[in-house]
Amino acid sequence: MGPHPAVAAIRLAVRRVLHDVLTESHRHHGHDRPAEEARRTAPASLSRYAEAGTAGSPRYAEAGTAGSPRAVLPDRPAAPLVLVACSGGADSMALASALAFEARKLGVRAGGITVDHNLQPGSALRAAEVVTRLTAMDLDPVEAVAVHVGREGGPEAAARDARYAALDAAAERHGAAAVLLGHTRDDQAETVLLGLARGSGIRSLSGMAAASGPAGRYRRPFLELDRQTVRKACLVQSIPVWDDPHNIDPAYTRSRLRHEGLPALEKALGKGVVEALARTAQLSRDDADALDTWAAQAELAVRDDSGQLECAKLYVLPPAVRRRVLRRAAIEAGAPAGSLFARHLEEVDRLITGWRGQRAINLPGRVEARRQGGRLVIRQS
């Protein structure tokens, strides 16, 4: 009998991501086909030697006997390393278990990272317990990383920034091809609603991408699975999980949305709200990606020979495209992307569409935008 449906679902989701990682790894190393296919079609005299060695070591194998021609196998890349970011909660523990199972089958190296935010008593002990559990799954390397959480942007944003900085550093340190995150379809729905509440535009409504970060480092295999399925997978495998008290603390916006907002929406609108919001995220992402591509092309056409933005050419662009051009220019000038909101871009946009001799617009990162001689100048002050 096969695994429980919930276990099968999480393993399939992870398997798909690992196949993508393997394909990208082979392509990066100049291979046009997976190693298994190459071995299957290689001459038997060479295949025998290709099996020699370990998964993480360079392959320089020579075949032949004294006095006979020596066949030299090409260098074969080490198996890619995939890390799982694990807090000890049900979502990330289920992800770790699926990664451990599938990595062995696919010849992928698998490790784990847990981040200690130092926000709760006993957090270091909790991180050590997670390390023990991941190690028991035969993940390697496994480590706990302690971070300092600042205050900029509020507690949730500050913790997220510190966590991703630690994960980026760990991925670079270990040379990881990917870092898996345990966000589910429910998390996606919450992200869409938070974006809607902020009024930040279609990019916020697009939620979390299946792959994001530098070179698509962060992968989210569970975005099409609900939280209940993931938790069930832990239960049937007898995997111990930790329920973070912050996840039920009404002091946090996402916690209130999870335990009050979404249940109220489902009561008023019926079941299926989470699924509908997740679909909205994907549709919004497709639209936002298309507009971003359009804006990147339009930006080249609205600059003069010196590279300055021409207000007359900006004016005739559709508003959604024009504001993307302005956002790109502001970020290029030094404005932090995470601090640049729709209200900032609206003010800059009025320098184009409602020019009445306004003063310069101050943007985050000590960047200012002003109109001079029919040109829009965006630079740090």
Side-chain angles (χ1 to χ4, degrees), residues 147-365:
V147 298
H148 171 71
V149 177
R151 297 184 177 181
E152 186 175 355
E156 292 168 284
R160 183 176 59 250
D161 290 345
R163 180 168 59 253
Y164 277 102
L167 293 175
D168 277 335
E172 294 292 341
R173 185 164 59 253
H174 294 291
V179 178
L180 305 189
L181 305 177
H183 297 121
T184 65
R185 187 169 62 192
D186 299 75
D187 295 308
Q188 184 74 299
E190 294 162 8
T191 302
V192 172
L193 283 177
L194 288 170
L196 183 63
R198 288 193 297 265
S200 300
I202 195 172
R203 180 53 73 183
S204 287
L205 294 183
S206 65
M208 297 175 286
S212 64
R217 167 179 293 158
Y218 295 107
R219 309 296 176 99
R220 298 176 175 86
F222 291 171
L223 280 185
E224 296 184 7
L225 299 179
D226 60 61
R227 190 174 289 138
Q228 184 177 359
T229 296
V230 174
R231 184 170 285 272
K232 183 69 173 179
C234 287
L235 179 64
V236 299
Q237 294 179 99
S238 299
I239 297 175
V241 300
W242 172 61
D243 291 317
D244 187 348
H246 284 174
N247 288 337
I248 57 173
D249 187 344
Y252 295 95
T253 304
R254 187 177 285 269
S255 176
R256 294 195 303 274
L257 180 60
R258 179 174 302 175
H259 298 287
E260 299 173 24
L262 270 173
L265 280 175
E266 291 203 329
K267 183 178 180 180
L269 302 176
K271 295 293 183 180
V273 170
V274 168
E275 293 86 344
L277 289 169
R279 285 197 302 274
T280 296
Q282 185 56 59
L283 293 171
S284 298
R285 181 166 297 281
D286 292 343
D287 289 349
D289 288 346
L291 287 169
D292 285 346
T293 300
W294 187 354
Q297 296 169 347
E299 184 176 4
L300 300 175
V302 297
R303 291 186 182 273
D304 60 20
D305 293 338
S306 64
Q308 296 292 324
L309 293 168
E310 297 187 64
C311 295
K313 292 181 178 179
L314 284 167
Y315 183 86
V316 298
L317 292 176
V321 177
R322 181 173 61 244
R323 288 174 184 171
R324 278 169 167 76
V325 172
L326 299 179
R327 177 180 173 81
R328 288 167 58 93
I331 293 172
E332 184 179 340
S339 302
L340 198 60
F341 301 133
R343 56 185 173 83
H344 295 125
L345 297 177
E346 288 169 2
E347 290 297 319
V348 177
D349 196 42
R350 273 193 276 271
L351 295 177
I352 308 298
T353 62
W355 174 242
R356 298 185 305 277
Q358 300 98 307
R359 293 184 177 181
I361 306 298
N362 293 319
L363 301 174

Side-chain angles (χ1 to χ4, degrees), residues 77-166:
L81 171 65
V82 176
L83 299 175
V84 57
C86 187
S87 67
D91 300 346
S92 58
M93 288 302 294
L95 183 58
S97 71
L99 173 61
F101 181 85
E102 294 295 335
R104 286 191 294 268
K105 295 172 61 178
L106 295 176
V108 174
R109 293 180 295 146
I113 303 293
T114 186
V115 178
D116 175 10
H117 297 83
N118 285 304
L119 295 177
Q120 302 175 42
S123 63
L125 177 60
R126 173 64 57 189
E129 290 176 353
V130 174
V131 167
T132 299
R133 292 173 185 171
L134 295 181
T135 302
M137 293 179 180
D138 292 329
L139 298 183
D140 182 40
V142 174
E143 67 174 346
V145 181
V147 298
H148 171 71
V149 177
R151 297 184 177 181
E152 186 175 355
E156 292 168 284
R160 183 176 59 250
D161 290 345
R163 180 168 59 253
Y164 277 102

